Amino acid sequence: MLGSRLGGVAGAQTRPVPYNPDPVTGPEAVYGFNVPLTGSYADEGADELKAYELAVQHLNEGGGMLETLEPSALTGQGVLGKKITYVQGDTQTDADAARASARRMIERDGAIMFSGGSSSAVAIAQQYLAQEMGVIFMNCLTHSNDTTGKDRQRYGFRHFFNAYMSGVALGPILAEEYGDDRRAFHLTADYTWGHTQLESMQASTEAQGWSTVQNIMTPLGTTDYSQYLTPVINSDADVLVLNHYGQDMVNSLTQAVEFGMRDREVDGRPFEVVVPLYSRLMAQGAGDAIEGIFGTTNWSYKLENPGTEAFVTAFEEAYDQPPSQAAHTAYVQTILYSDAAERAGTFYAPEVIKALEDHTVDGIGHNGSTLYRGCDHQAFHEILVVRGKAPSERDSEFDLLETVKEIPAADVEYECDYFEGDLGPYEPA
């Protein structure tokens, strides 16, 4: 691992005092990376950790997006004169385990920021801890509307897109491809992300003329979906929407195909399956079952822009494979926090927060600028509608998703009060 540390840092406080104007007193600053190394989202967690390690290397030695970030205060010689090191933890895709792991990194190891996660429930739990302890949390994968909606926190920031954006982007394309009079049956992961993904997809597809036949909530970590797929077959639905992610999506999609759903016709039309939130790692797990399946992603390693090219080149040199959207988000969040600290001239959390709020940046892998909105800490950039490729269309084992349309940031923006929420103070009592 590149610069990993398992213990405390010489010269750093063993327990950082919240809102301390000088949280780093030694030659090194410690970041904490809390990722799902076990559980349904472990594949994403492993790729996130690779990207965090690479980001630390680039902060200390230069390279990667440090060459493309605009504007940038980073020099490739650490941050604010400090060498960056890191500690890591396993969230276990569990909110309680994630909070315990993050608290250890802050109290025992002196982490002055932390990042990670794939489950939105895990991310939200860590955001509340961040606010409590006065240590900034740079969310990694979290797609629930609640993360920067009702559960937004002053000490939490999200670069990843959300369920509302997926619905807005995907709904019109589904109607164009499949017709405006479809009947959808949803299977939904039973936690905050699934709930808001269901709500967003229903709103978007029903606005196109679709109807919702039924929804069934499924527990996170389900391996056998047969009891949930049978009611779909016995209904009059002609589309199955899988509001699942990670290994859950791999299991539900492959089992739906094994059930023969994609060989069915309803009222003379092919039965369709939709996966609103996609990733290349999921596509790899699901294999040929992804062919023709629509969804949305935050980023693709095949985008043609300087930030993507710099990051992909560095990642492939380090790990012999292209990065996933999970890796991209992990890397970007680390770079953006570091740049904000450098611009603020301090690691003092309230000042770093202010440097991130309403900051616009280029060169982080998107085809256009990214805004970190100050009122809710949601980033806005273009997102991608994608479709699974057939085996004959792929140019490598990683070339699994075709970008159907790039949706500009302006098309998925919404008013800040669209979702209720209060960031809270910069320096709570």
Side-chain angles (χ1 to χ4, degrees), residues 342-408:
E342 196 75 57
R343 287 186 291 109
T346 179
F347 288 115
Y348 178 46
E351 295 304 316
V352 178
I353 290 170
K354 292 172 185 176
L356 282 165
E357 289 176 336
D358 289 322
H359 181 58
T360 299
V361 65
D362 288 288
I364 60 171
H366 300 294
N367 290 337
S369 298
T370 296
L371 166 68
Y372 241 138
R373 192 161 69 175
C375 62
D376 58 0
H377 293 186
Q378 175 63 56
F380 289 91
H381 47 71
E382 97 284 0
I383 65 172
L384 309 178
V385 174
V386 297
R387 177 169 47 197
K389 286 188 173 183
S392 60
E393 298 173 327
R394 304 169 191 170
D395 61 23
S396 75
E397 62 181 302
F398 306 108
D399 180 32
L400 302 172
L401 301 176
E402 169 197 4
T403 297
V404 175
K405 188 174 184 180
E406 294 184 19
I407 310 297

